[in-house]
Amino acid sequence: MDNTDCDDSDLDVYPGSPIVKTNQNGAQWGDADYWLCDNPTMMADSIVINHNAEFNLGSQTLQASMSVNQGTLMINSNNILTLGSPTNPVMVIVYQGGTLIVDAGATLRIYGTLIQAHGLIINNGHIEVLSAHEDNEVPFVCGTSTVT
């Protein structure tokens, strides 16, 4: 996907296109230099992890789907990352070559679906996958890799 129009503000470049935020090098989530086109905000439609990333912003809610393609996304202790909402379900996919780590004392909350597509998910903290219509936990779709 071409994400040249990162904020959809230039109507001559891909008008109405999804807003995609892609990390371009490994660093802290809150470092603007880490992201192609600045940090993910509530306006982002999709977040793509291509390099190691550490989420360390305390608590943040984004209405974006996410794919962990390569590298590792680490959600550090005492941090909460919420993706989606009861009225806006999202999809989080961990692909082969990607790793999602939820550290002890950390929480990843997903309203929608978590798919393990041959990637690695290490849950030392708390992963909540919630139905988009109610706050009931639902199972996630698992590939051939093992969740530990």
Side-chain angles (χ1 to χ4, degrees):
M1 170 178 267
D2 187 348
N3 60 359
T4 303
D5 186 16
C6 299
D7 59 7
D8 211 30
S9 63
D10 183 351
L11 295 180
D12 292 330
V13 182
Y14 308 110
S17 62
I19 299 171
V20 178
K21 298 294 184 174
T22 305
N23 70 329
Q24 58 186 354
N25 53 44
Q28 302 293 322
W29 185 284
D31 182 357
D33 292 335
Y34 166 74
W35 298 96
L36 180 64
C37 304
D38 208 2
N39 304 61
T41 64
M42 288 297 290
M43 298 299 295
D45 294 302
S46 183
I47 299 168
V48 179
I49 304 297
N50 284 330
H51 301 277
N52 293 344
E54 288 188 42
F55 180 81
N56 61 343
L57 297 178
S59 180
Q60 187 173 31
T61 299
L62 299 170
Q63 300 301 316
S65 291
M66 181 168 57
S67 62
V68 181
N69 296 342
Q70 297 291 318
T72 298
L73 171 60
M74 163 78 88
I75 301 173
N76 291 330
S77 293
N78 303 315
N79 288 272
I80 300 170
L81 177 59
T82 301
L83 299 169
S85 69
T87 58
N88 182 40
V90 299
M91 187 174 299
V92 175
I93 304 173
V94 182
Y95 289 100
Q96 184 172 356
T99 302
L100 170 64
I101 301 174
V102 180
D103 205 2
T107 299
L108 172 62
R109 183 175 297 122
I110 302 164
Y111 286 92
T113 306
L114 172 61
I115 298 174
Q116 184 181 20
H118 303 285
L120 179 62
I121 298 174
I122 300 172
N123 183 16
N124 295 319
H126 191 68
I127 296 176
E128 300 173 8
V129 182
L130 303 166
S131 165
H133 301 291
E134 53 192 62
D135 286 345
N136 293 325
E137 290 199 43
V138 295
F140 66 90
V141 179
C142 183
T144 60
S145 300
T146 303
V147 177
T148 58

